Amino acid sequence: LSAHGLARLIPVSKALLCFATHEPLWKALTLQAGQNFRFHGFWRQTFVRSCVPGQASYTARQDMRVEGMYSDVLYSSWHWARARLRYEWLQADTIPRINARDLSRQRFIDEFEKPNRPVIITGLVDEWPAMSLWTDEYLRKAFEGHKLNAGGCMLTWDNWLAYSSGSRDDLPLYLFDKHCLRWRDISGHALSDDFTVPEYFSEDLFQHLGAGRPDWQWLIAGPAMSGSSFHKDPNSTS
């Protein structure tokens, strides 16, 4: 249904009130609009304020209570948005962890890369300037005049912060941007200057492709509960 259709269903009955105000429906409508939206606490209000002309100050009621209404469809998204991982679920860890200072490049190749064994390398980012520089204000200046890709929507940094800090989604949007690390300010500085590629992954075969080089750097970040399922990276290198 369109936003207009959903809005017309709200006053019909209590059951339709529950379904027509279901947050995932209004989230989908907002994302389909493809605008640089400003998140306003919940998706119905966000859609109206961001996508309906002349409604920038609209306030939707969220305090209505309906008793005796049961639906797995309505409940599941609410439940998973608030569910927390149990501590004991995180205790099973069969992947070895090795600090970078104890792992030479050759040892990494011999023990993990060649036999295709997983490993978690710790301590790699401790000395990166990004670890101390990348505050909200620092990134705001770095992204000034630009928009970032979040779930297919192009958002300013401030609008992204408003969403990531206020979202109650069961599957929150997350940044997946392939351009922003290479944007340079008037001094010539880019965010990619704030970190270095670890020596284990420094071999860059893409450099030999010249103008045909595919995208190779992304900024991926999101609020709690965000993430993706198992997948290959965009260039199928994993």
Side-chain angles (χ1 to χ4, degrees):
L1 287 176
S2 66
H4 181 68
L6 283 178
R8 294 185 66 183
L9 289 177
I10 291 175
V12 173
S13 68
K14 291 182 179 180
L16 287 177
L17 165 67
C18 295
F19 281 102
T21 57
H22 190 38
E23 280 285 85
L25 298 178
W26 291 94
K27 176 182 179 179
L29 289 170
T30 305
L31 300 184
Q32 288 171 12
Q35 299 186 30
N36 175 32
F37 65 83
R38 178 80 172 189
F39 191 69
H40 293 282
F42 50 97
W43 283 106
R44 181 159 54 103
Q45 183 160 281
T46 297
F47 176 85
V48 175
R49 289 195 181 188
S50 301
C51 305
V52 180
Q55 297 294 325
S57 60
Y58 169 82
T59 300
R61 289 187 61 187
Q62 279 291 94
D63 58 349
M64 294 176 286
R65 299 180 62 86
V66 177
E67 297 183 358
M69 181 69 188
Y70 302 94
S71 167
D72 288 341
V73 171
L74 299 178
Y75 175 73
S76 61
S77 60
W78 179 91
H79 170 73
W80 291 118
R82 291 157 177 80
R84 293 294 178 263
L85 292 176
R86 293 169 58 178
Y87 178 77
E88 55 267 29
W89 292 351
L90 305 178
Q91 299 312 295
D93 188 354
T94 59
I95 300 177
R97 295 172 180 264
I98 303 178
N99 193 283
R101 64 173 176 267
D102 301 319
L103 184 66
S104 67
R105 182 177 183 183
Q106 191 58 49
R107 182 187 172 193
F108 170 76
I109 293 173
D110 293 339
E111 296 185 18
F112 300 103
E113 185 176 36
K114 285 183 177 179
N116 199 27
R117 290 178 56 214
V119 61
I120 297 174
I121 306 174
T122 62
L124 282 175
V125 303
D126 293 348
E127 304 302 321
W128 282 2
M131 296 299 291
S132 59
L133 291 176
W134 285 16
T135 62
D136 289 347
E137 185 59 32
Y138 182 86
L139 294 175
R140 178 179 289 109
K141 293 179 179 178
F143 299 144
E144 186 174 4
H146 298 284
K147 294 179 182 178
L148 303 160
N149 190 331
C153 286
M154 303 305 293
L155 303 180
T156 63
W157 177 246
D158 284 337
N159 281 356
W160 163 251
L161 287 182
Y163 168 76
S164 60
S165 62
S167 167
R168 295 174 293 177
D169 290 347
D170 57 330
L171 292 173
L173 304 176
Y174 58 95
L175 294 180
F176 200 113
D177 196 281
K178 62 185 180 182
H179 301 298
C180 63
L181 294 176
R182 301 194 294 276
W183 292 332
R184 296 194 175 274
D185 59 24
I186 58 175
S187 68
H189 179 269
L191 290 180
S192 58
D193 298 328
D194 295 337
F195 61 88
T196 55
V197 178
E199 61 173 332
Y200 317 106
F201 317 114
S202 59
E203 187 176 17
D204 182 10
L205 298 180
F206 284 158
Q207 66 179 318
H208 303 296
L209 298 179
R213 180 187 183 122
D215 299 305
W216 76 101
Q217 285 183 324
W218 287 264
L219 175 64
I220 304 174
M225 304 296 289
S226 62
S228 68
S229 59
F230 287 106
H231 63 282
K232 288 186 177 181
D233 68 71
N235 294 319
S236 300
T237 60
S238 60

